[in-house]
Amino acid sequence: MNTEMSVLVLGNTETTNSSDSSGYAQSKVHQQQQTEITRSDMVYLANMLNTPQFLSILRSYGYPVDGGYFTFTKDIDLQYLKDRLDIDKEVATVVPVAQDYWYHTYGIPKPE
């Protein structure tokens, strides 16, 4: 694939090949951007797979989908979570944030 296709698919080029003017710092930034794109894609896909329309299609093929849902195993990136928590705390001082958001975002089991 050429550089333009790498940017289209991955969102960057420095994680697959290196230009003459790039260095470690630029590669690190590009890798972080690629990770964000992947996270976003995973959220989008999980949301699409959990729509009532898609679950109804699976049900029509005989799959037992009642009560089930699609999810991805989350890797724990402590720095990402720390940065996100700082932002979330600031947002929570301005607008109300649902309790479910905190449990879902930080992978905390909800008390019964």
Side-chain angles (χ1 to χ4, degrees):
M1 290 177 70
N2 60 22
T3 303
E4 292 81 10
M5 290 301 290
S6 293
V7 172
L8 178 66
V9 174
L10 300 174
N12 65 68
T13 58
E14 296 299 322
T15 57
T16 56
N17 58 14
S18 182
S19 63
D20 294 334
S21 64
S22 69
Y24 174 75
Q26 186 176 4
S27 296
K28 187 75 173 163
V29 168
H30 282 229
Q31 191 272 331
Q32 290 169 343
Q33 290 171 342
Q34 185 174 343
T35 301
E36 287 301 315
I37 291 169
T38 300
R39 281 189 182 121
S40 175
D41 289 347
M42 290 171 66
V43 168
Y44 175 78
L45 181 60
N47 288 338
M48 293 300 292
L49 292 174
N50 287 310
T51 62
Q53 297 85 358
F54 184 72
L55 293 175
S56 131
I57 291 169
L58 291 178
R59 191 176 296 107
S60 74
Y61 282 103
Y63 289 104
V65 297
D66 294 330
Y69 59 93
F70 289 92
T71 186
F72 287 100
T73 302
K74 293 182 181 180
D75 288 334
I76 298 176
D77 181 346
L78 295 178
Q79 186 59 47
Y80 171 77
L81 288 177
K82 183 183 179 315
D83 294 342
R84 186 160 179 174
L85 180 60
D86 291 341
I87 294 168
D88 289 344
K89 286 199 275 187
E90 286 294 319
V91 169
T93 64
V94 178
V95 296
V97 178
Q99 282 189 343
D100 285 345
Y101 171 81
W102 299 103
Y103 291 111
H104 177 74
T105 302
Y106 298 100
I108 301 168
K110 203 169 185 180
E112 295 181 30

